[in-house]
């Protein structure tokens, strides 16, 4: 049986170059990976290993964005033992096991800013040397400059996604608290130039906006602004109230659903696995408090977790329309956000 599973339902993108230079040089395995990313959740296909590992190289961040779970939860290293930097040996263990199973992709961030990790370039290079075809990370761009930018480029990163929520200085700095508008714009411009001068077609450079009421008017101008600066893609991610804890959520939502989807199936259970910087393993991006802990990457096999009884049970609940029986899914706002987007006509019902 095939399901109408929404793939990346809160995400939309505009390619500013045709064809994308990075796609011209992408190996066949990359296209195989992207096909499986779409088809596996729809057909209930579970590979021997996740298609993508989300490896949280650090849970620290240098900004205080008001809509971010880190800010809302006021995460503090003195109170939360999960905060820190991923140890090189743990990172190597995850990549090595993944390589044995033909791991396609790694994303080097989750709750923190990856550029804070002093070994990030070495982590990128190690994954590439092990055959990972898509190595990427999200960043606020504040530290994407100078020698670090050159080292990241030389390491062979495939995609860099810069989070940048407004092209209005005052609004941007009220959202990305601690960042300076002109400096981050300059960092992106210089990174594009650095890549182009090197003659490389990678990394693909994408600038992403969290779409909220306060910046919705900027969508088209946002695209033009970044097209003029040479980036490859602009993307828009609909605001999600992770864990339902944002007290300002009503002021941020672009729309509100009149219903919650009862037949929601989360594609992530067939696509990816999250490893926190301390080694705990969780199933999805919405489990920001680690409520569904699947194991410990320091001692457990990620393959065994991925094909194991607990994850298979979670997949079955979703596939059979019973996702609300999962505690973490009752606090996830993705089913609401999908309903909003359907009602706004942004995705098909």
């Amino acid at each position: 049986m095939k399901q109408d599973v929404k793939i990346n339902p809160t995400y939309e993108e505009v390619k500013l170059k045709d064809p994308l230079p990075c796609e011209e040089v992408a190996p066949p395995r990359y296209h195989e990976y992207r096909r499986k990313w779409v088809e596996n959740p729809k057909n209930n296909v579970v590979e021997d290993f996740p298609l993508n590992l989300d490896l949280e190289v650090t849970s620290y961040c240098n900004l205080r964005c008001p809509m971010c779970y880190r800010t809302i939860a006021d995460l503090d290293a003195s109170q939360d033992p999960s905060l820190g930097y991923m140890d090189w040996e743990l990172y190597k263990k995850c990549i090595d096991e993944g390589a044995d199973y033909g791991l396609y992709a790694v994303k080097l961030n989750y709750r923190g800013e990856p550029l804070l990790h002093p070994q990030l370039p070495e982590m990128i290079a190690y994954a590439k040397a092990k055959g990972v075809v898509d190595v990427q990370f999200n960043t606020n761009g504040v530290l994407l400059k100078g020698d670090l930018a050159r080292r990241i480029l030389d390491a062979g990163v495939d995609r860099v996604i810069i989070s940048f929520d407004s092209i209005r200085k005052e609004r941007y700095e009220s959202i990305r608290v601690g960042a300076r508008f002109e400096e981050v714009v300059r960092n992106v411009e210089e990174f594009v130039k650095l890549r182009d001068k090197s003659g490389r077609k990678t990394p693909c450079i994408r600038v992403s906006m969290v779409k909220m009421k306060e910046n919705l008017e900027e969508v088209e101008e946002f695209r033009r602004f970044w097209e003029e600066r040479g980036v490859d893609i602009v993307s828009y991610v609909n605001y999600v109230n992770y864990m339902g804890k944002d007290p300002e959520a009503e002021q941020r939502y672009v729309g509100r659903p009149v219903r919650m989807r009862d037949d929601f199936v989360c594609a992530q259970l067939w696509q990816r696995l999250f490893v926190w910087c301390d080694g705990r393993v969780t199933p999805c991006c919405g489990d920001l408090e680690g409520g569904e802990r699947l194991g410990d990457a320091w001692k457990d096999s990620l393959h065994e977790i991925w094909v194991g009884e607990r994850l298979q049970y979670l997949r079955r609940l979703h596939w059979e329309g019973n996702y609300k029986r999962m505690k973490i899914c009752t606090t996830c706002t993705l089913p609401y956000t999908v309903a909003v987007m359907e009602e706004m006509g942004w995705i098909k019902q």
Side-chain angles (χ1 to χ4, degrees):
M1 183 178 73
K2 191 172 184 177
Q3 291 269 28
D4 180 26
V5 182
K6 305 299 182 187
I7 308 298
N8 306 331
T10 66
Y11 171 85
E12 58 183 305
E13 69 176 30
V14 179
K15 295 179 180 179
L16 303 177
K17 299 174 182 177
D18 186 20
L20 288 174
C22 58
E23 291 184 347
E24 292 183 301
V25 296
R29 283 193 74 238
Y30 172 79
H31 298 290
E32 178 181 81
Y33 153 59
R34 297 312 298 171
R35 176 181 57 78
K36 289 182 176 182
W37 185 266
V38 174
E39 293 182 0
N40 285 10
K42 293 179 180 291
N43 294 287
N44 196 15
V45 174
V46 180
E47 305 273 330
D48 285 336
F49 204 79
L51 302 175
N52 175 86
L53 282 181
D54 289 80
L55 301 179
E56 182 186 68
V57 298
T58 182
S59 52
Y60 291 127
C61 191
N62 51 349
L63 299 186
R64 296 278 294 178
C65 306
M67 74 289 193
C68 178
Y69 173 79
R70 290 192 88 267
T71 304
I72 297 163
D74 196 24
L75 296 183
D76 186 318
S78 66
Q79 301 172 8
D80 188 340
S82 76
L83 297 183
Y85 295 97
M86 181 173 282
D87 186 90
W88 174 261
E89 290 304 316
L90 175 59
Y91 177 79
K92 184 173 178 290
K93 178 180 181 295
C94 294
I95 296 296
D96 287 351
E97 183 181 359
D100 289 342
Y101 286 95
L103 174 65
Y104 290 101
V106 294
K107 192 173 189 181
L108 300 175
N109 66 280
Y110 181 32
R111 298 174 300 161
E113 168 52 52
L115 294 181
L116 290 171
H117 199 296
Q119 293 176 290
L120 183 65
E122 291 78 11
M123 289 174 159
I124 295 167
Y126 190 81
K128 292 305 298 180
K130 286 290 183 172
V132 179
V133 294
D134 189 22
V135 180
Q136 62 167 307
F137 61 84
N138 289 67
T139 174
N140 56 44
V142 172
L143 301 175
L144 189 64
K145 57 186 176 181
D147 182 61
L148 180 56
R150 285 187 287 273
R151 289 169 61 210
I152 286 169
L153 188 68
D154 291 342
V157 67
D158 296 288
R159 281 192 282 170
V160 175
I161 303 102
I162 301 103
S163 299
F164 200 100
D165 300 311
S166 176
I167 56 171
R168 310 272 193 273
K169 173 180 168 63
E170 184 175 345
R171 182 179 289 162
Y172 168 82
E173 293 181 357
S174 72
I175 297 173
R176 296 283 159 180
V177 176
R180 298 193 178 204
F181 178 84
E182 295 87 354
E183 290 182 7
V184 179
V185 171
R186 183 167 60 251
N187 288 352
V188 177
E189 291 174 332
E190 291 301 315
F191 192 62
V192 171
K193 291 177 184 176
L194 187 66
R195 178 200 61 184
D196 293 348
K197 286 181 180 178
S198 74
R200 295 180 174 92
K201 295 189 175 184
T202 57
C204 177
I205 300 172
R206 187 173 98 207
V207 180
S208 180
M209 169 197 280
V210 176
K211 193 160 44 173
M212 301 174 282
K213 280 182 182 176
E214 58 193 296
N215 61 10
L216 191 59
E217 62 176 334
E218 297 183 38
V219 167
E220 181 55 31
E221 191 177 354
F222 184 87
R223 180 193 66 77
R224 292 195 299 269
F225 181 89
W226 289 111
E227 185 171 23
E228 291 170 359
R229 286 159 178 79
V231 306
D232 301 301
I233 297 173
V234 294
S235 60
Y236 308 95
V237 182
N238 229 47
Y239 165 76
V240 173
N241 180 13
Y242 285 110
M243 306 299 295
K245 294 193 173 182
D246 184 357
E248 304 296 326
E250 292 297 331
Q251 284 71 52
R252 304 193 206 283
Y253 274 117
V254 173
R256 289 296 292 161
V258 296
R259 60 181 175 83
M260 182 178 182
R261 281 195 62 148
D262 292 323
D263 59 344
F264 179 75
V265 180
C266 185
Q268 295 186 49
L269 296 172
W270 288 265
Q271 296 167 331
R272 61 205 296 196
L273 198 62
F274 286 71
V275 181
W276 294 28
C277 61
D278 65 350
R280 74 183 67 184
V281 181
T282 55
C284 65
C285 67
D287 190 14
L288 287 154
E289 294 181 343
E292 185 59 61
R293 187 165 179 169
L294 300 171
D296 182 347
W298 275 109
K299 58 184 180 180
D300 298 328
S301 159
L302 296 180
H303 160 72
E304 293 298 332
I305 291 173
W306 181 250
V307 300
E309 183 178 338
R310 182 60 185 175
L311 253 181
Q312 291 290 62
Y313 171 69
L314 301 184
R315 293 183 185 109
R316 188 163 62 251
L317 286 180
H318 272 251
W319 194 258
E320 295 174 354
N322 296 314
Y323 76 93
K324 292 179 183 177
R325 289 167 58 183
M326 286 177 61
K327 185 177 179 180
I328 60 168
C329 296
T330 62
T331 60
C332 179
T333 53
L334 272 175
Y336 285 105
T337 306
V338 170
V340 168
M341 298 182 74
E342 289 176 336
E343 288 161 16
M344 300 285 286
W346 293 340
I347 57 176
K348 293 181 180 179
Q349 297 191 29

